[in-house]
């Protein structure tokens, strides 16, 4: 009998393929890679599958242009979309990606009605909202990726400044996945010690700024959106859900009164487990942080209002 988890990754581009490969290496389940581009998902999936004997993996990887093979997936990862080009803001991508996300989620959700959906396509906070509407799923089963990646960038730069292992740095970034994101220095620790006690304010300010523009920094260098760290971020979220880990992870979650906000998807600390978002965690803000969070929420509401879902 088929007992392994089934994971569908929609979009077999740079991030989708990287995510699928990381998921394969973690042996989290059988993988179906879907894309509109003919031959691409099939070729990448076959290539990945052929690495399984070498890696010692007992999974199957399949590529497809249609959705039938995705039926009864436990999780749907949405990376389909247009990538951001240099000089293009995340909001420029809005309408194009909203149509793509609506279309692919509508098809995939029908075939996997009990799945959890994780959305990466940018602007991810808005696309999570679109994906929920397209699927009709309960809000806790539709999540967006932003915080794991933004926090990972924050943690990397903090670890570099402190010359310590990145895994010993815990930090989180809230708010929209854009230039208005809110990296919370006050809630950032290294081995349990607040980073504010270890680094001067000007260094921390510079790290916050570099985190905010982290995506643009990679884009500027290679003229293509980042995909390694985004892939790792998605794989971590998929693992948390499939293994019901109840990880405390920053994710784009639906707010229904939390933080005084209604009917919006935005980045907040959450508990991720088998049901998707098990709980949104509410943290105290200073006046300045509260203001930054509000500004960030407004930057998600504006594009959302342009879409009329
Ligand atoms: N159905 C399925 N796949 C689609 C569709 C669709 N309707 N439209 C586009 N795609 C596929 C493209 O064919 C491409 O293979 O989505 C893939 C996107 O991959 P890349 O262009 O390599 O983009 P990537 O860097 O992976 O980023 C994916 O995340 O960061 C965001 O804005 C970025 O929307 C982009 C997404």
């Amino acid at each position: 009998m088929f007992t392994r988890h089934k994971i569908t990754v929609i979009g077999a581009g740079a991030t989708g393929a990287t995510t699928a490969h990381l998921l394969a290496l973690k042996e989290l389940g059988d993988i179906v890679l879907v894309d509109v581009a003919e031959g691409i998902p099939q070729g990448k999936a076959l290539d990945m599958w052929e690495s399984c004997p070498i890696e010692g993996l007992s999974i199957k990887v399949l590529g497809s242009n249609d959705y039938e093979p995705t039926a009864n997936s436990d999780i749907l990862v949405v990376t389909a979309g247009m990538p951001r080009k240099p000089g293009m803001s995340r909001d420029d991508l809005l309408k194009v990606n909203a149509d793509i996300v609506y279309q692919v989620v509508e098809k995939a959700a029908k075939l996997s009605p009990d799945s959890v959906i994780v959305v990466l396509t940018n602007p991810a906070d808005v696309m999570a909202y679109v994906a929920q509407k397209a699927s009709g799923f309960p809000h806790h089963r539709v999540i967006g990726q932003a915080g794991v990646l933004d926090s990972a960038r924050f943690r990397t730069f903090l670890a570099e400044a402190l010359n310590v292992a990145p895994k010993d740095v815990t930090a989180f970034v809230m708010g929209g996945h854009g230039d208005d994101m809110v990296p919370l220095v006050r809630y950032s620790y290294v081995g349990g010690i607040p980073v504010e006690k270890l680094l001067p304010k000007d260094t921390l300010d510079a790290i916050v700024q570099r985190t905010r523009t982290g995506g643009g920094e990679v884009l500027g260098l290679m003229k293509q959106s980042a995909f390694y760290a985004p892939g790792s971020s998605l794989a971590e979220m998929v693992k948390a859900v499939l293994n019901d880990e109840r990880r405390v992870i920053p994710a784009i979650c639906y707010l229904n009164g939390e933080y005084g906000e209604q009917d919006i998807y935005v980045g907040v600390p959450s508990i991720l487990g088998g049901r998707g978002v098990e709980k949104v965690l509410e943290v105290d803000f200073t006046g300045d942080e509260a203001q930054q969070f509000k500004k960030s929420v407004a930057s998600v509401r504006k594009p959302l209002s342009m879409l009329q879902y």
Side-chain angles (χ1 to χ4, degrees):
M1 210 185 95
F2 183 76
T3 52
R4 285 200 295 266
H5 285 305
K6 185 167 174 182
I7 307 160
T8 287
V9 179
I10 307 171
T15 313
T18 303
T19 305
H21 191 215
L22 289 167
L23 292 170
L25 292 174
K26 290 175 197 285
E27 212 174 15
L28 285 172
D30 289 337
I31 298 164
V32 183
L33 197 53
V34 183
D35 201 289
V36 279
E38 269 178 45
I40 298 295
Q42 292 90 341
K44 289 191 180 181
L46 179 60
D47 190 13
M48 270 180 234
W49 195 24
E50 288 167 354
S51 75
C52 290
I54 306 163
E55 300 291 347
L57 304 169
S58 302
I59 56 155
K60 190 166 178 183
V61 191
L62 180 80
S64 176
N65 294 124
D66 56 49
Y67 286 80
E68 278 69 38
T70 71
N72 301 315
S73 290
D74 298 289
I75 196 156
L76 307 171
V77 180
V78 181
T79 74
M82 296 286 290
R84 191 157 59 117
K85 304 264 162 56
M88 205 177 174
S89 84
R90 288 190 174 94
D91 290 349
D92 293 338
L93 285 177
L94 184 66
K95 287 206 169 71
V96 178
N97 281 352
D99 284 347
I100 293 174
V101 168
Y102 195 94
Q103 193 190 93
V104 304
V105 169
E106 198 178 28
K107 284 186 210 154
K110 274 201 190 97
L111 292 163
S112 299
D114 299 321
S115 58
V116 169
I117 301 176
V118 184
V119 183
L120 167 106
T121 306
N122 273 317
D125 9 49
V126 179
M127 295 306 142
Y129 193 96
V130 172
Q132 191 281 324
K133 292 287 179 199
S135 63
F137 284 5
H139 293 103
H140 67 85
R141 281 206 277 127
V142 183
I143 319 163
Q145 190 302 120
V148 179
L149 174 59
D150 295 332
S151 301
R153 288 183 174 140
F154 195 28
R155 292 167 65 194
T156 302
F157 305 147
L158 286 169
E160 183 191 31
L162 290 159
N163 197 17
V164 299
K167 69 177 178 182
D168 285 336
V169 182
T170 56
F172 65 74
V173 176
M174 294 184 57
H177 182 49
D179 300 339
D180 292 323
M181 70 178 77
V182 188
L184 285 180
V185 173
R186 231 160 35 87
Y187 289 106
S188 305
Y189 297 87
V190 50
I193 306 162
V195 291
E196 285 173 310
K197 300 221 181 291
L198 299 173
L199 289 170
K201 189 174 177 310
D202 57 342
T203 306
L204 287 168
D205 287 347
I207 289 173
V208 164
Q209 190 46 32
R210 191 173 176 197
T211 302
R212 285 211 173 102
T213 55
E217 184 179 352
V218 175
L219 180 68
L221 288 166
M222 63 182 188
K223 317 297 175 224
Q224 180 185 354
S225 284
F227 53 89
Y228 290 116
S232 292
S233 306
L234 284 172
E236 176 159 84
M237 292 174 78
V238 169
K239 183 164 162 281
V241 172
L242 290 182
N243 292 348
D244 190 21
E245 290 178 333
R246 298 189 68 85
R247 292 284 314 276
V248 177
I249 283 184
I252 295 173
C253 303
Y254 186 75
L255 298 187
N256 185 22
E258 296 91 346
Y259 295 98
E261 299 291 342
Q262 290 278 355
D263 196 32
I264 186 135
Y265 270 90
V266 72
V268 288
S270 68
I271 301 176
L272 285 197
R275 289 168 8 102
V277 178
E278 303 284 347
K279 192 175 169 42
V280 167
L281 297 175
E282 289 190 79
V283 296
D284 291 334
F285 287 142
T286 61
D288 186 41
E289 288 163 357
Q291 221 173 12
Q292 283 185 54
F293 185 70
K294 268 219 160 336
K295 188 172 163 221
S296 193
V297 169
S299 74
V300 182
R301 283 205 194 278
K302 195 172 149 232
L304 207 48
S305 68
M306 287 157 57
L307 287 173
Q308 294 168 349
Y309 280 102

